[in-house]
Amino acid sequence: MADDGAFCFEQPLNERIRTFLRLEHLLARLRYHEADESVWGRRAAMGALLDILNVMSRHDIRTEVSKELGQRYAGLERLAERDDVDEEALRHVLDELDTLGRELQRVPPQFASYLLRDNELLNSLNNRLPIPGGSCGFDLPAYQHWLAQDAAGIRGDIERWCERILPFENAVRTLLRLLRDSARPRPVTAENGVFVHNTETGTQLIRVLLDDADVYPEISAGRHRATLRFMQYENTDLRVCQAQTSVEFRMACCRY
């Protein structure tokens, strides 16, 4: 993930943010492949869509996102009492969170599970995708037939299946933006490729920004401490080893 020209690596510190980051990743995949109207682009888009629906069906996403929106609204509302706050900007964010919350309430609970169960094409494709090559034409002739339909019809089907995903996409994007903007990255040095940091209470996301593409961090983080080990490829076989030199980077510990 790139951030302002730097290479950005992120480590969530709780399950809710972990799920949000996975959804963000899958939604980016979906939107990228959705623009490709070739058969292979459609196959890739459908794979991303099914991954999203499966994540949503395994978690009570509506409750989790709604709870996070409510907590962020309450926390920001308390800032209105401070004299150094831009009231207009704060009101804009509060209105945005309120609108997102209202949109989520119009989405039926467990819609993803019902869509995967009741839609014959999605159900059959979802059952076959875990099998390597399981979506071949001889395995799923109905899927091959659907992929051969006109572009407008396929686009309409995908848009209809994504309709109830859109409120979650908007809410997750906003929540992660507010979380990332909550802390400014500061310069840090990892001596001999290792850095240990005592995390503040309530930290939800650690962000590491690197200008050097030759190393990457392996982040092990808990409630009280985070350890960063910077790794690099040892040879052309891509064997990994720990960097033995000092590594300059920037780090942000994000919390609301």
Side-chain angles (χ1 to χ4, degrees):
M1 179 178 180
D3 191 291
D4 295 332
F7 298 94
C8 182
F9 298 84
E10 296 182 325
Q11 179 65 39
L13 270 64
N14 61 56
E15 188 60 29
R16 183 181 296 176
I17 301 303
R18 189 173 291 113
T19 300
F20 289 177
L21 288 174
R22 287 195 177 113
L23 280 176
E24 179 188 52
H25 168 79
L26 292 171
L27 287 161
R29 270 181 52 199
L30 172 64
R31 298 311 178 192
Y32 178 86
H33 293 299
E34 199 176 20
D36 182 356
E37 295 189 345
S38 70
V39 170
W40 298 113
R42 292 311 191 198
R43 284 179 173 271
M46 289 297 289
L49 172 61
L50 288 171
D51 283 347
I52 292 167
L53 293 174
N54 277 299
V55 169
M56 289 185 163
S57 66
R58 292 169 189 162
H59 302 270
D60 189 358
I61 292 296
R62 195 178 76 156
T63 298
E64 291 298 311
V65 176
S66 296
K67 185 182 297 184
E68 193 77 11
L69 286 171
Q71 290 175 353
R72 298 295 66 77
Y73 189 97
L76 289 172
E77 198 173 33
R78 288 192 291 269
L79 294 178
E81 302 173 0
R82 293 173 47 173
D83 296 331
D84 58 344
V85 171
D86 184 332
E87 293 185 10
E88 184 177 351
L90 178 60
R91 177 46 54 187
H92 175 76
V93 175
L94 289 174
D95 289 344
E96 183 180 11
L97 294 176
D98 182 64
T99 299
L100 291 170
R102 292 177 184 276
E103 290 176 350
L104 279 180
Q105 293 308 310
R106 290 195 286 266
V107 178
Q110 301 300 321
F111 81 95
S113 298
Y114 295 144
L115 186 57
L116 288 173
R117 184 195 67 188
D118 298 337
N119 185 286
E120 187 173 345
L121 178 63
L122 295 181
N123 182 271
S124 58
L125 182 57
N126 193 48
N127 289 333
R128 298 297 301 179
L129 274 186
I131 303 171
S135 63
C136 284
F138 67 85
D139 279 312
L140 291 174
Y143 185 42
Q144 181 176 338
H145 177 68
W146 179 79
L147 289 169
Q149 303 304 301
D150 64 276
I154 292 177
R155 191 184 314 115
D157 288 337
I158 293 177
E159 288 175 355
R160 187 172 66 256
W161 295 330
C162 291
E163 183 178 4
R164 287 173 173 166
I165 292 174
L166 187 59
F168 294 92
E169 181 177 12
N170 294 333
V172 167
R173 182 191 301 118
T174 298
L175 289 169
L176 289 178
R177 186 194 77 222
L178 292 174
L179 181 59
R180 287 170 176 138
D181 289 348
S182 68
R184 182 173 298 177
R186 60 183 183 86
V188 188
T189 301
E191 302 291 344
N192 297 319
V194 178
F195 181 76
V196 178
H197 175 73
N198 293 324
T199 56
E200 295 184 47
T201 302
T203 299
Q204 295 183 285
L205 179 70
I206 293 176
R207 309 184 76 221
V208 175
L209 290 87
L210 283 163
D211 296 320
D212 183 3
D214 293 331
V215 297
Y216 68 92
E218 287 187 346
I219 307 172
S220 174
R223 294 178 58 188
H224 306 294
R225 176 177 294 183
T227 301
L228 286 68
R229 298 184 186 278
F230 287 89
M231 313 299 289
Q232 60 188 172
Y233 294 129
E234 190 174 25
N235 50 40
T236 55
D237 293 331
L238 301 184
R239 186 185 299 276
V240 175
C241 65
Q242 182 178 309
Q244 298 301 312
T245 57
S246 296
V247 177
E248 305 290 335
F249 66 101
R250 288 171 288 149
M251 185 174 73
C253 293
C254 305
R255 61 194 182 110
Y256 294 115

